[in-house]
């Protein structure tokens, strides 16, 4: 029942994710009882034996068992709820021996969080199991009551579901009106069952992610390692680009210049006019080589950026752009050279994209400071359709910004306009 003609509320009770979430709550109770029992018994035994040496290995073993149970819970969340929770950092002893492993296990914050999960999840599993099962059974039982009401007079000797009864009288759901009301109430329970179950499992997602996943410090270390790899790859790519530009540009012109000067030297005595022509051509090659070297040096780090800052450097870039660009820079000071250089190259690359792909008539660059962030925004009135996922240019730029805790946001609907906003940390 995934047809768009059927309202979402009516499709929800029949969708697979609803039944997976319901199965998650049903399986969660017996598993939680097992986790809670093992955690409490092993931890209590370990704490009780701490007066002797045996308490340390028992307590370490209880934490190891909790970590193993945590792996099962992460797999259950991944399989039934579709939530991917990374495993925490592994426990490694300094020397590799048993005592080193036990010490590392007892010092591991992730291990103690697994123990806390086993203790906290048990009462929550009881609650979520009860609520989801009550909504399911009452909802579907009352909703389908007209179908199976014949069971009561046929096998139980009564007219229907008994709502009330004492020694003098009893109240049954047997009239057509009462059966219709019961069916309507059941329908309300059935429609409320999917959001209730999903809300209950949303709490499980939070518990698993917060207690069974990696700690904030470990996530930050992983993020920094990834950013370091992106920086190294970017630096290597820049070096290859500089090498390629030198080989294809100034190096080729200098080689041609050397050949022209050699020919001019050989022909100077026999044909001075031809030698003069060769020298004149060599002079032109020198000018072009110097221009290419200046452009290459500007691409590495422009002198105007070092001397006069972002305002003058971006104005210089805008003046060379094929599209008219309005530049507005409102900064109280200058950031550190690394952030300033990254901001310059970000705007430069975005303006190059405008020139090559946007087919725009005009563009604008705005730079300002917002609290502890340096904000860059490049707009154009081009055709739009820019998507970081489809090309390496914007994707590589986003990775470079992430290496310094920056953010790149692209708003480029088909038909335009395009607005690219970059956010960098402000470091004065």
């Amino acid at each position: 029942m995934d047809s768009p003609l059927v309202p979402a509320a009516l499709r929800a009770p029949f969708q697979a994710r609803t039944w997976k979430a319901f199965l998650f709550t049903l399986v969660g109770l017996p598993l939680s009882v097992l986790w809670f029992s093992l955690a409490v018994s092993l931890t209590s035994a370990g704490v009780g034996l701490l007066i002797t040496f045996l308490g340390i290995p028992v307590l370490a073993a209880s934490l190891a068992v909790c970590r193993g149970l945590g792996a099962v819970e992460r797999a259950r969340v991944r399989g039934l709820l579709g939530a991917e929770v990374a495993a925490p950092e592994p426990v490694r002893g300094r020397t590799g021996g048993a005592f080193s492993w036990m010490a590392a296990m007892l010092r591991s914050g992730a291990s103690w969080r697994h123990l806390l999960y086993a203790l906290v999840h048990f009462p929550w599993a009881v609650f979520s199991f009860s609520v989801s099962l009550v909504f399911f059974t009452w909802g579907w039982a009352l909703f389908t009551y007209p179908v199976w009401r014949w069971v009561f007079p046929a096998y139980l000797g009564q007219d229907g579901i008994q709502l009330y009864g004492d020694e003098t009288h009893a109240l049954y759901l047997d009239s057509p009106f009462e059966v219709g009301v019961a069916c309507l109430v059941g329908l309300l329970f059935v429609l409320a069952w999917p959001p209730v179950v999903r809300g209950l499992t949303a709490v499980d997602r939070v518990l698993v992610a917060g207690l069974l996943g990696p700690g904030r410090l470990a996530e930050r270390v992983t993020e920094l390692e990834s950013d370091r790899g992106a920086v190294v790859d970017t630096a290597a790519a820049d070096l290859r680009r500089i090498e390629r530009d030198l080989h294809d540009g100034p190096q080729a012109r200098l080689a041609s210049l050397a050949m022209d000067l050699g020919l001019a030297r050989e022909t100077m005595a026999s044909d001075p006019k031809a030698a003069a022509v060769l020298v004149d051509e060599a002079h032109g090659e020198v000018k072009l080589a110097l221009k290419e070297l200046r452009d290459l040096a500007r691409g590495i780090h422009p002198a105007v950026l070092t001397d006069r800052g972002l305002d003058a450097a971006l104005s210089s870039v805008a003046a060379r752009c094929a599209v008219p660009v309005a530049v507005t820079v409102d900064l109280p000071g200058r950031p550190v050279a690394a952030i300033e250089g990254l901001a310059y190259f970000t705007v430069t690359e975005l303006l190059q994209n405008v020139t090559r792909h946007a087919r725009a008539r005009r563009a604008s660059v705005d730079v300002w400071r917002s609290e502890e962030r340096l904000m860059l925004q490049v707009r154009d009135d081009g055709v739009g359709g820019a998507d970081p996922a489809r090309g390496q240019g914007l994707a590589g730029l986003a990775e470079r910004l992430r290496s310094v805790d920056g953010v790149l946001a692209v708003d480029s609907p088909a038909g335009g306009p395009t607005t690219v906003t970059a956010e960098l940390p402000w470091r004065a």
Side-chain angles (χ1 to χ4, degrees):
M1 290 191 59
D2 291 333
S3 173
L5 300 178
V6 181
L10 297 180
R11 297 198 308 265
F14 304 96
Q15 289 178 334
R17 61 173 184 167
T18 301
W19 289 91
K20 287 182 178 180
F22 180 55
L23 178 61
F24 184 89
T25 61
L26 295 183
V27 176
L29 180 60
L31 290 179
S32 183
V33 171
L34 176 62
W35 303 164
F36 182 83
S37 303
L38 287 174
V40 170
S41 58
L42 291 175
T43 305
S44 300
V47 172
L49 292 172
L50 281 178
I51 57 175
T52 66
F53 176 76
L54 293 177
I56 294 177
V58 172
L59 190 56
S62 69
L63 295 178
V65 170
C66 291
R67 289 179 70 102
L69 301 179
V72 176
E73 284 293 280
R74 287 191 298 272
R76 193 164 67 96
V77 168
R78 180 171 57 252
L80 295 178
L81 303 183
E84 190 68 37
V85 179
E89 61 278 8
V91 175
R92 296 188 181 93
R94 295 181 179 178
T95 62
F99 293 103
S100 178
W101 175 84
M102 287 187 289
M105 182 65 71
L106 295 175
R107 288 196 306 266
S108 171
S111 301
W112 291 101
R113 290 199 307 271
H114 280 66
L115 173 61
L116 179 61
Y117 176 85
L119 301 179
V120 171
H121 188 258
F122 172 65
W124 172 252
V126 173
F127 175 78
S128 61
F129 175 89
S130 304
V131 172
S132 62
L133 188 60
V134 165
F135 269 80
F136 173 79
T137 54
W138 276 97
W140 287 102
L142 291 178
F143 180 55
T144 58
Y145 181 52
V147 177
W148 57 273
R149 188 175 69 88
W150 60 271
V151 173
F152 290 94
Y155 296 101
L156 301 179
Q158 62 186 47
D159 296 330
I161 296 177
Q162 183 178 358
L163 295 181
Y164 173 78
D166 55 19
E167 297 178 355
T168 58
H169 64 279
L171 179 62
Y172 298 95
L173 295 178
D174 52 1
S175 69
F177 175 76
E178 293 171 344
V179 172
V181 171
C183 181
L184 179 60
V185 172
L187 177 61
L188 295 178
F189 268 87
V190 169
L191 295 179
W193 171 60
V196 168
V197 172
R198 293 172 189 172
L200 294 172
T201 54
V203 177
D204 285 280
R205 288 193 187 95
V206 173
L207 288 175
V208 172
L211 297 178
L212 302 184
R216 292 183 178 179
L217 180 59
E219 288 182 345
R220 183 58 177 165
V221 169
T222 303
E223 181 181 353
L224 290 176
E225 289 178 347
S226 176
D227 292 343
R228 182 183 62 184
V231 170
V232 172
D233 293 340
T234 301
D238 289 340
L239 289 175
R240 289 193 298 269
R241 176 182 59 83
I242 294 171
E243 181 183 4
R244 183 179 62 252
D245 292 343
L246 284 172
H247 181 271
D248 296 341
Q251 181 178 339
R253 294 196 179 278
L254 290 175
S256 176
L257 173 62
M259 293 176 62
D260 290 343
L261 291 176
L263 290 174
R265 183 180 60 185
E266 293 176 359
T267 60
M268 184 174 294
S270 59
D271 192 354
K273 291 184 179 181
V277 172
L278 291 173
V279 171
D280 186 61
E281 292 177 356
H283 183 256
E285 292 290 333
V286 168
K287 288 182 177 180
L288 291 175
L290 288 175
K291 182 180 181 300
E292 290 179 352
L293 286 173
R294 281 195 300 268
D295 293 340
L296 184 59
R298 188 184 295 115
I300 297 173
H301 193 85
V304 65
L305 178 62
T306 303
D307 297 337
R308 300 172 57 190
L310 274 175
D311 194 354
L314 295 181
S315 298
S316 176
V317 173
R320 298 193 303 270
C321 188
V323 178
V325 181
V327 178
T328 303
V329 178
D330 183 15
L331 296 177
R334 295 182 63 175
V336 294
I339 298 299
E340 192 175 54
L342 185 53
Y344 171 83
F345 290 115
T346 299
V347 175
T348 301
E349 187 163 344
L350 291 176
L351 288 180
Q352 289 177 354
N353 290 340
V354 172
T355 302
R356 295 171 183 170
H357 310 296
R359 301 202 295 271
R361 292 175 295 176
R362 65 180 62 88
S364 64
V365 176
D366 295 291
V367 182
W368 72 96
R369 178 182 174 181
S370 177
E371 297 181 353
E372 295 304 314
R373 307 292 284 180
L374 174 62
M375 308 296 297
L376 315 170
Q377 194 168 77
V378 178
R379 297 188 187 93
D380 68 76
D381 60 354
V383 296
D387 186 2
R390 289 194 315 214
Q392 296 181 352
L394 289 176
L397 189 58
E399 288 184 2
R400 183 177 294 192
L401 293 178
R402 279 197 298 269
S403 66
V404 293
D405 291 335
V407 178
L408 184 73
V410 179
D411 180 17
S412 182
T418 297
T419 301
V420 181
T421 305
E423 214 178 295
L424 292 168
W426 177 270
R427 297 169 188 164

